[in-house]
Amino acid sequence: MKTQKTRAFLKWAGGKYTLTEQITQILPDAEKLVEPFVGAGSVFLNSDYERYHLNDINPDLIALYTILKRRPQQYINDARRFFITQNNHESAYYALRERFNHSQDDYERALLFLYLNRHGYNGLCRYNRSGGFNVPFGRYVRPYFPERELEYFAAKAKKATFTCLPFNQIFKRVRKNAVIYCDPPYVPINTTAMFTDYSSNGFSLDQQVELARLATHASQNRGIPVLISNHDVDFTRNIYQHAEIRGLKVKRSISQNGATRVPVSELFAYFRGHATV
């Protein structure tokens, strides 16, 4: 029985590391876990399924995961070379960020993606409307190189298939004996709190409604359980009306100052799959 939790090798705004126990307690047994919004992969890393289908709309993220799965030691050795004192300065960071934004090589982008994630402000992953990574320098004393976490991810990734597709296409591909966990970009608590620049396309309220519809359909018509995380607001309570809802308080902030992090209301919406005969 696995008791020690595993951290993702990427820093991630809204990552689910602190909630993995609650999530895995809700998720039912199945052969496969499907994640249409895998992010940094904390649920994948801290769950126990025979197979995984891990998807994300961010092509840099999925390219990194695919490379790490196929060439773990080469990737780790090459990525480590960026974690040197000379690169932990503002001028070096912006030069490497510019190099990343102009690179067309998947392997080089994968190396730089990890560097930017660990040296950029608060581990944010944000792109402008032109697709350029635009997170500012983070000013950390000594950015951590996550070698052990990379090795663990690479080993477990042997069980996983990675794709970079819209979430609705993932729902179409899911078959019986699978369970779906969705951690989409959250509905804003207010109009100034929307954080949708994770990919250059954003995530609209219409897409939130479509995700809820697909979850309802998968559960009621195909017998596939779906669990969704989101903010606990009137909008989500309404679109998840066919789910079992569990509210919780979570300390969440996109801020370097931990003292400013205050509890916010989140929810789990569990669409319990009804077995079809």
Side-chain angles (χ1 to χ4, degrees):
M1 185 73 180
K2 183 176 183 291
T3 55
Q4 187 172 355
K5 290 174 67 175
T6 301
R7 284 194 178 275
F9 66 85
L10 293 171
K11 300 168 91 173
W12 211 253
K16 289 298 177 288
Y17 177 77
T18 59
L19 297 176
T20 53
E21 293 98 338
Q22 288 136 296
I23 292 168
T24 54
Q25 284 173 6
I26 299 172
L27 291 172
D29 292 335
E31 291 180 9
K32 179 190 285 188
L33 175 65
V34 179
E35 293 196 59
F37 310 87
V38 68
S42 288
V43 175
F44 157 63
L45 292 167
N46 292 284
S47 59
D48 187 17
Y49 290 89
E50 293 178 30
R51 292 177 293 137
Y52 294 85
H53 180 178
L54 307 178
N55 180 81
D56 204 278
I57 199 64
N58 185 325
D60 291 316
L61 185 69
I62 295 303
L64 190 167
Y65 289 164
T66 303
I67 288 167
L68 182 59
K69 175 184 176 180
R70 292 174 181 170
R71 295 184 275 169
Q73 205 53 57
Q74 179 188 357
Y75 177 83
I76 292 169
N77 290 340
D78 289 342
R80 186 188 293 109
R81 294 177 184 144
F82 287 91
F83 285 69
I84 56 176
T85 304
Q86 298 93 304
N87 285 340
N88 192 27
H89 295 282
E90 192 168 1
S91 59
Y93 175 84
Y94 288 117
L96 287 168
R97 192 181 76 174
E98 189 74 5
R99 178 174 158 189
F100 172 83
N101 284 333
H102 286 90
S103 176
Q104 301 295 317
D105 181 82
D106 285 346
Y107 188 71
E108 180 181 45
R109 287 180 69 88
L111 296 173
L112 290 169
F113 189 87
L114 178 61
Y115 163 82
L116 293 170
N117 175 265
R118 284 281 168 179
H119 291 74
Y121 181 79
N122 210 36
L124 287 177
C125 181
R126 190 183 65 198
Y127 299 80
N128 61 31
R129 295 302 173 188
S130 301
F133 191 89
N134 65 354
V135 176
F137 182 54
R139 302 184 187 283
Y140 298 105
V141 175
R142 186 178 298 170
Y144 172 66
F145 180 67
E147 181 168 4
R148 184 166 52 89
E149 293 84 349
L150 285 161
E151 290 174 343
Y152 187 91
F153 190 103
K156 191 161 186 179
K158 294 175 182 176
K159 293 183 175 184
T161 298
F162 297 101
T163 56
C164 182
L165 296 167
F167 67 89
N168 58 338
Q169 293 190 31
I170 301 305
F171 272 81
K172 292 177 183 177
R173 295 181 174 209
V174 179
R175 299 294 178 260
K176 289 183 179 180
N177 299 318
V179 59
I180 304 172
Y181 171 62
C182 297
D183 184 29
Y186 276 17
V187 168
I189 296 176
N190 53 60
T191 55
T192 62
M194 184 169 271
F195 179 70
T196 57
D197 293 328
Y198 154 67
S199 72
S200 59
N201 299 318
F203 200 80
S204 69
L205 295 183
D206 286 343
Q207 288 173 302
Q208 299 280 0
V209 173
E210 175 66 2
L211 175 60
R213 186 191 71 78
L214 290 171
T216 302
H217 181 269
S219 169
Q220 295 184 352
N221 296 82
R222 303 180 63 202
I224 299 170
V226 182
L227 177 64
I228 303 178
S229 304
N230 215 319
H231 278 140
D232 189 352
V233 294
D234 289 343
F235 178 83
T236 51
R237 289 264 175 175
N238 181 49
I239 64 174
Y240 300 150
Q241 59 186 282
H242 298 293
E244 302 168 17
I245 294 179
R246 308 184 190 189
L248 64 154
K249 293 286 187 181
V250 178
K251 283 192 176 181
R252 179 82 70 217
S253 173
I254 302 175
S255 168
Q256 283 186 313
N257 184 359
T260 65
R261 297 179 184 180
V262 295
V264 296
S265 297
E266 297 192 10
L267 60 74
F268 293 131
Y270 182 44
F271 298 78
R272 188 182 297 276
H274 302 288
T276 54
V277 181

